[in-house]
Amino acid sequence: MSTGIRNAPEWTIVDFIHRGPWWTNRGILALNLCLLLPLLTSAINGYDSSLVNGLQIVPDWQTFFHNPQGKALGLINSAQNVGALLGMPFTPLASDMLGRRVALFIGAVLMLAGVSLQCAAQTVAMFVGARFLIGFGLAFATNAGPLLITELAYPTQRGQLTSIYNSSWYMGSIVAAWACFAAFERKDGSAWAWRIPSVVQAVGSVAQVLLVFCIPESPRWLVSRGREGQAARVLAKYHANGGDDRDPLVVFEMAQIRHALKIEKEYTRSTNWLSLFETPGNRRRIFIIIAIGLFSQWSGNGLVSYYINLVLEGVGVNNAGTKAEINGGLQIWNLVCAFGAALLVDKLGRRTLFIASNAGMLVVFSMWTLTTALFSTMNDTDAAKATIPLIFLFFAFYDIAYTPMLVAYTLEILPFSIRAKGFAIMNITVCLTLAFNQFVNPWALDALGWKYYLVYCGWLVLELAFILRFIIETKGRTLEETAALFDGETLPQEIVSMAGEAATMSMHRSPEYPKSTEERYEKAPRQPEYYELGFQDSASSRIGETT
């Protein structure tokens, strides 16, 4: 430590984090209100993705489109995902080059165009085209929205907020399910019985188009574009309660962001798609991301999420009203389970929740397979009755990990330079598996009946083995420290130590320290440092120790 501050206290990042209820801090409160807009993206996705599943129960929709079956039904169900799949290669370019907010705006505009076409659809072809356009726009929104949340959130709230993002999918799903139930109750023979639920789709996208530029841009994106002064002002306003951008917390975060970006440039020769596979750390990240993307759709959940009508008929539930009630109740149950798990991610840890989720799904899905087999082969009505609660229990275990953490874990382990592209890889993986499910599941259920469930039982065993072997714990670290876990043992400690020193030094600046933001963050690289050096135990400065 420098002589001039030898007797100064040993500050750490723990001393700069807000204590007490977050809503008493005006900066965090304003930030979380801003984050509601990108959080809305997941609810929009949930509504869009669940709408066709619900409309299949509405007799007026079936009549208007002449009771689509087989390949026609598979095409209607998969059109949105095909559109999203074709849009995803372009989404990282928009997010990285134009910014997270602009990419979100583009997605919302495209979705509004698709919803308009869907509401006006007169044929199956028009309906499929509308679903394709909605999916194309959704690709942009679902890439940019989570990036904004992860990169803007207050350090101690990032894990929970990013987990809540994907859990919000069920909020949209609930609205879609009950909107379709209300449409079923109308039974007036009018096309408006199914067009009104389609109109409701536009509400979230309209809000995003009107308000997206009222929220702050990602400070990490701003730093990557050389706009460090603006990034520091964003962090000061929302992380330091509207205070000075010389606040030690802001200095700590800015130091980590700058240092992490510098390291990424040294490790990665380029930022194109090939950079995802350039280093051992990146290859390991992509391997895990593709795997959990597959698991999120190939765990048996796709049977109910997109073909609940066929699954319920398989256990003797044929009444349309009963099906609609079960579908609506299941979405509420999923929301409760997913939000509960999202609040536990920082207490129990990511790895613990993944293991509990996969082990539970394996046990319950095996029981679900047994009850379905008993009803199909022996017409056992008691087994049929047991299937419904087993479906609910299965989704409780699914929601422990794959709803809250599919997005959160993916974004946590990716460094900034490839975060948008790596996240697109996860979304592409999900879309491919969804498209496969939506085409194959109805045919396989038709051909194999309950025996098709045995395929998922075997796959769930493989999933559990993978989780036990490859998923590592990431709780208690900042975004930069977590990403560095895959790039060598010394990097996380180096990032913590360097940022901790910067925060300490900010408490002991010399009088010559530049006063304005522009001087500090834009001219400083061409000037000597205006700090007196101070050190502390870097290990004690981890964000996670404040929670």
Side-chain angles (χ1 to χ4, degrees):
M1 184 183 294
S2 156
T3 344
I5 56 169
R6 188 174 298 278
N7 298 321
E10 299 297 325
W11 298 93
T12 70
I13 189 60
V14 173
D15 298 295
F16 312 131
I17 293 294
H18 171 73
R19 299 182 184 280
W22 61 266
W23 54 87
T24 62
N25 183 301
R26 288 174 302 171
I28 303 175
L29 178 60
L31 174 61
N32 288 344
L33 288 174
C34 289
L35 292 179
L36 288 176
L37 199 67
L39 277 170
L40 189 59
T41 305
S42 186
I44 295 170
N45 186 11
Y47 191 101
D48 293 344
S49 301
S50 304
L51 182 65
V52 174
N53 196 34
L55 288 179
Q56 290 176 55
I57 301 171
V58 179
D60 291 326
W61 182 86
Q62 293 280 2
T63 302
F64 191 90
F65 291 107
H66 309 294
N67 298 296
Q69 302 289 332
K71 292 181 181 179
L73 184 59
L75 186 60
I76 290 172
N77 264 321
S78 62
Q80 180 193 11
N81 289 304
V82 173
L85 185 61
L86 293 179
M88 278 173 191
F90 304 102
T91 59
L93 299 176
S95 291
D96 285 341
M97 296 177 66
L98 304 176
R100 296 6 182 167
R101 294 183 304 176
V102 173
L104 186 58
F105 177 80
I106 292 170
V109 169
L110 288 171
M111 281 190 285
L112 281 177
V115 169
S116 301
L117 181 61
Q118 181 175 285
C119 291
Q122 298 295 322
T123 64
V124 169
M126 281 184 70
F127 195 86
V128 168
R131 301 298 299 166
F132 177 90
L133 186 54
I134 289 170
F136 193 82
L138 197 58
F140 286 85
T142 53
N143 183 269
L147 292 174
L148 260 178
I149 295 167
T150 297
E151 295 171 1
L152 265 173
Y154 194 73
T156 53
Q157 295 183 349
R158 175 181 49 79
Q160 290 184 351
L161 280 171
T162 314
S163 299
I164 286 172
Y165 168 82
N166 213 39
S167 303
S168 301
W169 190 94
Y170 286 118
M171 294 180 69
S173 182
I174 289 168
V175 176
W178 289 105
C180 291
F181 179 74
F184 165 76
E185 287 294 300
R186 283 173 57 100
K187 296 179 184 175
D188 60 359
S190 164
W192 285 105
W194 63 267
R195 291 192 198 275
I196 288 176
S198 296
V199 171
V200 175
Q201 279 181 280
V203 175
S205 297
V206 168
Q208 290 185 328
V209 166
L210 295 177
L211 300 174
V212 68
F213 294 109
C214 298
I215 66 175
E217 181 57 271
S218 158
R220 287 163 175 85
W221 182 81
L222 291 170
V223 172
S224 74
R225 310 304 286 186
R227 295 155 64 180
E228 294 194 8
Q230 191 176 343
R233 287 193 293 271
V234 169
L235 291 173
K237 181 176 180 179
Y238 295 103
H239 288 195
N241 199 16
D244 195 335
D245 54 15
R246 290 171 293 185
D247 183 283
L249 174 58
V250 177
V251 173
F252 180 94
E253 293 187 275
M254 286 295 294
Q256 281 206 336
I257 293 168
R258 283 198 303 263
H259 191 57
L261 289 175
K262 179 183 175 184
I263 290 173
E264 289 170 27
K265 286 180 181 177
E266 291 173 356
Y267 271 74
T268 308
R269 291 186 296 273
S270 61
T271 54
N272 55 34
W273 288 97
L274 292 178
S275 62
L276 296 174
F277 308 97
E278 271 187 357
T279 67
N282 284 355
R283 288 192 290 272
R284 187 180 175 197
R285 290 179 177 104
I286 298 304
F287 178 56
I288 292 173
I289 286 168
I290 290 174
I292 62 175
L294 288 171
F295 300 166
S296 73
Q297 303 304 323
W298 279 359
S299 296
N301 54 301
L303 293 174
V304 173
S305 295
Y306 293 93
Y307 292 99
I308 191 170
N309 196 43
L310 299 178
V311 170
L312 293 178
E313 286 180 356
V315 291
V317 179
N318 296 304
N319 181 271
T322 303
K323 292 177 190 175
E325 289 171 351
I326 291 172
N327 184 38
L330 182 61
Q331 305 316 313
I332 295 173
W333 171 254
N334 282 330
L335 178 68
V336 172
C337 294
F339 266 81
L343 298 177
L344 294 174
V345 293
D346 287 328
K347 293 184 179 177
L348 299 182
R350 283 66 160 162
R351 178 176 165 83
T352 300
L353 291 176
F354 269 117
I355 293 172
S357 175
N358 279 90
M361 284 193 295
L362 174 59
V363 172
V364 176
F365 196 85
S366 299
M367 297 168 65
W368 177 2
T369 302
L370 178 61
T371 58
T372 305
L374 288 173
F375 177 77
S376 298
T377 57
M378 302 173 62
N379 202 28
D380 188 330
T381 54
D382 290 333
K385 291 175 184 176
T387 301
I388 306 303
L390 284 175
I391 291 174
F392 278 73
L393 185 58
F394 170 84
F395 272 93
F397 281 109
Y398 176 87
D399 292 328
I400 287 175
Y402 288 98
T403 299
M405 289 194 296
L406 175 64
V407 170
Y409 195 79
T410 296
L411 294 177
E412 280 181 349
I413 66 176
L414 287 166
F416 177 84
S417 61
I418 61 167
R419 187 169 292 141
K421 292 182 177 66
F423 187 49
I425 290 290
M426 188 276 287
N427 283 325
I428 288 171
T429 302
V430 169
C431 277
L432 285 172
T433 52
L434 276 175
F436 177 86
N437 278 354
Q438 290 164 346
F439 276 115
V440 172
N441 280 345
W443 302 344
L445 285 169
D446 232 13
L448 300 175
W450 70 269
K451 294 177 183 177
Y452 182 51
Y453 288 49
L454 295 173
V455 175
Y456 285 108
C457 289
W459 181 255
L460 283 166
V461 173
L462 295 177
E463 284 187 12
L464 181 58
F466 181 94
I467 295 299
L468 289 168
R469 172 66 180 83
F470 292 105
I471 295 295
I472 63 174
E473 188 53 70
T474 60
K475 74 171 182 176
R477 296 177 181 271
T478 65
L479 204 56
E480 283 70 33
E481 292 161 23
T482 299
L485 282 173
F486 291 78
D487 295 314
E489 295 179 3
T490 61
L491 281 180
Q493 187 71 7
E494 180 185 345
I495 288 177
V496 173
S497 177
M498 179 279 310
E501 289 165 14
T504 301
M505 290 185 288
S506 73
M507 304 294 292
H508 309 290
R509 294 183 301 274
S510 76
E512 297 96 356
Y513 188 74
K515 298 280 191 295
S516 73
T517 298
E518 286 72 18
E519 284 181 292
R520 282 194 296 277
Y521 291 105
E522 291 164 13
K523 295 182 182 178
R526 298 186 292 274
Q527 299 175 356
E529 290 291 338
Y530 289 91
Y531 289 127
E532 293 185 73
L533 190 59
F535 297 93
Q536 76 277 340
D537 176 10
S538 59
S540 66
S541 65
R542 287 188 180 174
I543 295 290
E545 295 183 9
T546 68
T547 58

